[in-house]
Amino acid sequence: MTETIQAATSAEDPQNRPGRRIHRAWFVAAVTFVTIIGAAAFRSLPGLLIDPLHEEFDWSRGTIGAAVSVNLALYGLTAPFAAALMDRFGIRKVVAVALSVIALGSGATYWMTAAWQLMLCWGLLVGLGSGSMALAFAATVTNRWFTERRGLVTGILTAASASGQLIFLPLLSWIVAEHDWRPAAVTVALAALTVVPFVWLLLRDHPADVGLKPYGATEFVPKPPPATGAARRAVKVLLDAARTGPFWLLAGTFAICGASTNGLIQTHFVPAAHDHHMPVQAAASLLAVIGVFDVVGTIASGWFTDRYEARRLLAVYYALRGISLLFLPMLLAPSVRPPMVFFIVFYGLDWVATVPPTVALCREHYGEDSAIVFGWVLASHQVGAALVAFLGGAARDAFGSYDVVWYASGALCAAAALMALVIRRRPATAPALA
């Protein structure tokens, strides 16, 4: 077995072959990036559906927001189990099944006529499928294939979700405006299905599958045997992590991150702008611009995370986000003005810039279990998003505007900045949680 490994590494490791400069890990990262882009199509749609579903079925915004909140909650709660399932069955199988479930749930909404069907299709099915495609997927790929440039790769893969939003938001808003919401739901289903062959044919579970070291590694890393008891392991990792202070601080800050992004802006920005008589397509285009600058901000955050203290980066990101939200109610208007453009650029740069330092802190404190721990931290992100997706719609029904939601979210971001500074640094000699 040792001879086989040595032969594989000497024959196929790009670091041992002159003339070949690009490590296979970068191709795996590229396939992962494209996969997350395809799956991100579904994340572009919920905010565009609130007004059309309200007008067609006379469902309250709170009811529609509740379906979105189920989706967001399951997106997070599924992630740690999906990370464990990837250890058991492999990345390719889990991701291919997840994309198929997303396609089924989104496509089935074409025939829905009752609110419970929205809960089932968009809430349950798309939520479960998307949870398996959550950022724990990116963390798993990064941990397996890279030992160097992990912050940068995490930033790039996180930016893939924003890139998907950039690609699909203008298209889906045009489809909703010109052809109703049903063709938009079918478009999301087809986008998810289109990615499945790429995953199956091009993605590999581990560098050892092709006889390579992880990028930056000095020694060959054998592929570990399949981990049994995925659900049990996910729960055990949670119980172990829950006995440590950094876990609760990371979970709390990331819950506020989800509340102020997916739950607030992504779900309610378009209907809030429409309340001020801004055309839906214009508001959707502003969200797409957030996606443009999110790519820049997240990759830059990954670069910063490789060089600066992660908890201080988090504090800066949350503080700036909270300040920007306090100004948003004054910026909404029938037309897009320069101050609104500045807000969109600023918010885009900060959108998920929090992910690379959060992943880095999970890795610092929890070692080999960091992908699963990050899955649980991501669950808190989505629970926060789910609460605000529902409460934002309920507040709009109760008060006739979203102003109180913007101000409350700004205050929460200030609290997250303080929480980030409280996270202690793990001593260099202390072992990570096993």
Side-chain angles (χ1 to χ4, degrees):
M1 181 66 181
T2 303
E3 294 177 353
T4 302
I5 292 173
Q6 290 174 344
T9 56
S10 62
E12 299 190 41
D13 190 345
Q15 298 174 13
N16 294 330
R17 290 175 60 186
R20 185 173 180 179
R21 298 180 179 179
I22 302 177
H23 193 285
R24 178 68 176 268
W26 293 108
F27 291 101
V28 172
V31 173
T32 304
F33 185 90
V34 173
T35 302
I36 296 174
I37 284 178
F42 78 92
R43 298 184 63 191
S44 304
L45 194 56
L48 303 177
L49 294 182
I50 292 179
D51 286 336
L53 294 179
H54 174 70
E55 293 170 4
E56 178 172 340
F57 298 109
D58 199 30
W59 299 337
S60 71
R61 291 177 176 83
T63 297
I64 301 167
V68 176
S69 72
V70 170
N71 174 293
L72 294 172
L74 287 176
Y75 176 92
L77 294 172
T78 304
F81 296 98
L85 286 172
M86 288 177 189
D87 288 342
R88 175 66 178 88
F89 298 105
I91 297 173
R92 285 196 304 170
K93 293 179 181 179
V94 173
V95 172
V97 170
L99 287 166
S100 301
V101 172
I102 290 171
L104 174 64
S106 181
T109 59
Y110 187 94
W111 294 280
M112 72 178 178
T113 56
W116 69 266
Q117 294 167 346
L118 178 65
M119 295 279 189
L120 174 65
C121 295
W122 203 265
L124 179 63
L125 292 178
V126 177
L128 289 174
S130 60
S132 300
M133 287 291 302
L135 292 173
F137 168 41
T140 300
V141 170
T142 303
N143 288 347
R144 290 187 182 185
W145 281 89
F146 294 85
T147 58
E148 293 182 357
R149 309 297 187 196
R150 281 176 165 175
L152 177 63
V153 174
T154 301
I156 293 172
L157 296 182
T158 303
S161 180
S163 300
Q165 176 176 292
L166 164 65
I167 293 169
F168 287 102
L169 253 179
L171 173 63
L172 293 176
S173 65
W174 177 82
I175 292 174
V176 170
E178 299 295 329
H179 303 286
D180 199 20
W181 62 268
R182 288 181 176 85
V186 173
T187 300
V188 170
L190 293 176
L193 283 178
T194 300
V195 181
V196 174
F198 291 95
V199 170
W200 195 255
L201 295 175
L202 301 176
L203 195 63
R204 292 294 180 267
D205 291 330
H206 195 278
D209 290 340
V210 288
L212 296 178
K213 305 173 188 175
Y215 178 82
T218 57
E219 297 181 357
F220 185 84
V221 179
K223 183 177 181 178
T228 58
R232 182 170 58 253
R233 183 185 174 206
V235 173
K236 180 181 182 301
V237 169
L238 170 64
L239 294 176
D240 289 342
R243 292 196 290 267
T244 66
F247 173 79
W248 292 107
L249 291 168
L250 288 168
T253 56
F254 223 43
I256 294 171
C257 179
S260 56
T261 53
N262 301 68
L264 181 65
I265 298 294
Q266 191 161 37
T267 303
H268 294 293
F269 179 80
V270 172
H274 192 55
D275 283 347
H276 290 76
H277 309 293
M278 182 183 294
V280 170
Q281 286 180 269
S285 297
L286 289 176
L287 278 185
V289 173
I290 283 181
V292 175
F293 288 94
D294 184 17
V295 174
V296 177
T298 307
I299 294 175
S301 179
W303 187 87
F304 289 140
T305 301
D306 286 331
R307 290 160 176 80
Y308 301 105
E309 190 177 347
R311 65 192 187 100
R312 296 188 185 277
L313 289 175
L314 284 181
V316 171
Y317 296 156
Y318 286 120
L320 293 175
R321 183 183 300 180
I323 292 170
S324 66
L325 283 173
L326 297 178
F327 285 96
L328 182 57
M330 296 179 281
L331 305 179
L332 291 168
S335 60
V336 180
R337 299 172 180 172
M340 174 58 78
V341 174
F342 179 81
F343 169 85
I344 292 296
V345 171
F346 187 86
Y347 213 81
L349 291 172
D350 193 53
W351 183 264
V352 285
T354 55
V355 173
T358 301
V359 172
L361 286 167
C362 287
R363 190 182 300 119
E364 175 185 332
H365 287 276
Y366 305 107
E368 293 298 321
D369 289 328
S370 62
I372 297 176
V373 172
F374 178 69
W376 285 113
V377 172
L378 179 64
S380 71
H381 181 283
Q382 295 308 116
V383 169
L387 286 172
V388 173
F390 169 69
L391 293 174
R396 170 61 178 80
D397 290 334
F399 301 110
S401 78
Y402 284 99
D403 288 0
V404 66
V405 185
W406 308 131
Y407 295 135
S409 297
L412 284 174
C413 288
L418 295 176
M419 292 167 64
L421 290 175
V422 174
I423 299 173
R424 63 177 175 82
R425 299 186 65 181
R426 187 175 67 85
T429 56
L433 177 66

